[in-house]
Amino acid sequence: GLLPEDDRQDDKRQQTRRSLLFASTGAALLLGGCTKATKKPAAAESSTDDFDYQSITATEYLTYEHGILRRILLAYQTAAGHLQTDASVAVAAIAKAASLFRNFCEDYHERQVEESLLLPVVRKLEGEVAKYPDILLAQHERGRQLTDYILRLTAGTKSDWLKLPATIGATVTMFQQHTAREDTVVFPEWKKTLSDHDFDAISDHFEEIQERHFGQDGYAGALKQIVLIEADLGMTNLAQFTAPAPSPDHSPKKS
């Protein structure tokens, strides 16, 4: 269904695709002038505190950003489990995680990348994937309501804190399912609509959006914040999460 029947249809499809990619955000990109060669010199990125934008692609941006989102969800879960033993630390960590979720995941990743650049394209595709944007948008909106609620609860009394585990559980479940579908269905189908030339251009545009929103401290800044939250919760040692070996099978042998 997505393959053109002749060259004229192909030209028309590519023009439509570019319009969907860039006009929806008002981005005045000239595809011929936005290749990787136009990126800032490597010398400007030499600091170990800076994320190396020069070598990554649009899909890598999406993957890294979902990595931050998933680490926030894990911090939520861990903090919720500490509410009975160290409530003040747990609530402070949840508030920090919710603020990071609001700024990085909702205001930047969802609004400025997915909702502006990806979902309008996917909605125009054929097949089941075209149904995803409406569901994903509804879940974005519900997620913002949940973040508002989590922030209100953390600012409240100890009786309010008792409502956090259920709210966090619902948030985590929704976004685990949400991001899994995006990573395995929505993002791959979106990428299929791009030529190599367009893919380079949209990768550059992702960088521009991130720098416009955060300055020079986008992904790297978010990563620093989630690492500090994890430290507050005792989550920094990855080895502690290694699963134990399975127990021997003591079930009766069949005769």
Side-chain angles (χ1 to χ4, degrees):
L2 297 179
L3 293 177
E5 295 179 0
D6 54 38
D7 291 341
R8 287 178 298 178
Q9 289 181 345
D10 183 56
D11 288 342
K12 182 177 180 181
R13 185 173 69 90
Q14 292 200 26
Q15 291 171 3
T16 301
R17 179 185 63 213
R18 292 188 179 102
S19 175
L20 287 167
L21 284 170
F22 303 117
S24 60
T25 57
L29 289 180
L30 296 176
L31 294 179
C34 295
T35 62
K36 298 294 179 182
T38 66
K39 287 181 177 289
K40 56 185 176 288
E45 302 171 340
S46 59
S47 171
T48 55
D49 291 333
D50 292 334
F51 187 62
D52 180 11
Y53 294 106
Q54 192 170 21
S55 62
I56 68 173
T57 65
T59 48
E60 288 174 316
Y61 272 105
L62 297 169
T63 299
Y64 296 156
E65 290 164 8
H66 272 185
I68 297 292
L69 186 153
R70 290 189 175 97
R71 288 175 73 163
I72 293 171
L73 297 181
L74 289 168
Y76 271 165
Q77 288 180 308
T78 301
H82 290 177
L83 282 169
Q84 297 297 323
T85 57
D86 198 351
S88 60
V89 171
V91 169
I94 292 169
K96 292 176 185 176
S99 295
L100 179 58
F101 197 93
R102 167 60 43 84
N103 187 30
F104 187 82
C105 300
E106 295 175 354
D107 291 345
Y108 160 66
H109 176 78
E110 290 179 358
R111 294 185 191 275
Q112 298 190 45
V113 177
E114 292 182 345
E115 295 177 11
S116 295
L117 292 173
L118 276 71
L119 298 185
V121 177
V122 175
R123 183 176 278 110
K124 299 293 185 180
L125 300 180
E126 297 178 359
E128 290 295 313
V129 70
K131 298 178 181 179
Y132 276 92
D134 287 340
I135 299 170
L136 297 175
L137 285 168
Q139 291 181 346
H140 285 177
E141 182 57 33
R142 182 55 49 80
R144 291 160 194 159
Q145 295 168 1
L146 289 167
T147 300
D148 285 339
Y149 189 53
I150 289 170
L151 288 169
R152 287 201 302 271
L153 292 177
T154 58
T157 64
K158 290 184 178 180
S159 62
D160 294 319
W161 298 353
L162 297 176
K163 302 173 186 177
L164 283 166
T167 305
I168 285 171
T171 302
V172 169
T173 297
M174 182 176 74
F175 279 107
Q176 283 177 332
Q177 295 289 339
H178 180 102
T179 55
R181 297 305 198 283
E182 287 181 332
D183 287 345
T184 59
V185 180
V186 176
F187 294 165
E189 290 300 317
W190 167 77
K191 188 174 184 292
K192 288 178 184 178
T193 70
L194 301 171
S195 67
D196 291 343
H197 196 60
D198 290 345
F199 190 60
D200 279 345
I202 200 68
S203 298
D204 285 343
H205 191 41
F206 277 15
E207 177 184 344
E208 292 171 4
I209 295 170
Q210 192 170 117
E211 289 185 354
R212 185 167 63 242
H213 187 80
F214 296 106
Q216 295 295 321
D217 203 26
Y219 171 82
L223 182 59
K224 289 176 185 177
Q225 290 181 61
I226 191 59
V227 167
L228 290 173
I229 293 167
E230 290 167 346
D232 290 342
L233 295 169
M235 298 173 64
T236 55
N237 180 13
L238 179 61
Q240 71 183 299
F241 301 109
T242 304
S247 301
D249 185 2
H250 296 297
S251 58
K253 294 182 179 180
K254 294 182 179 180
S255 56

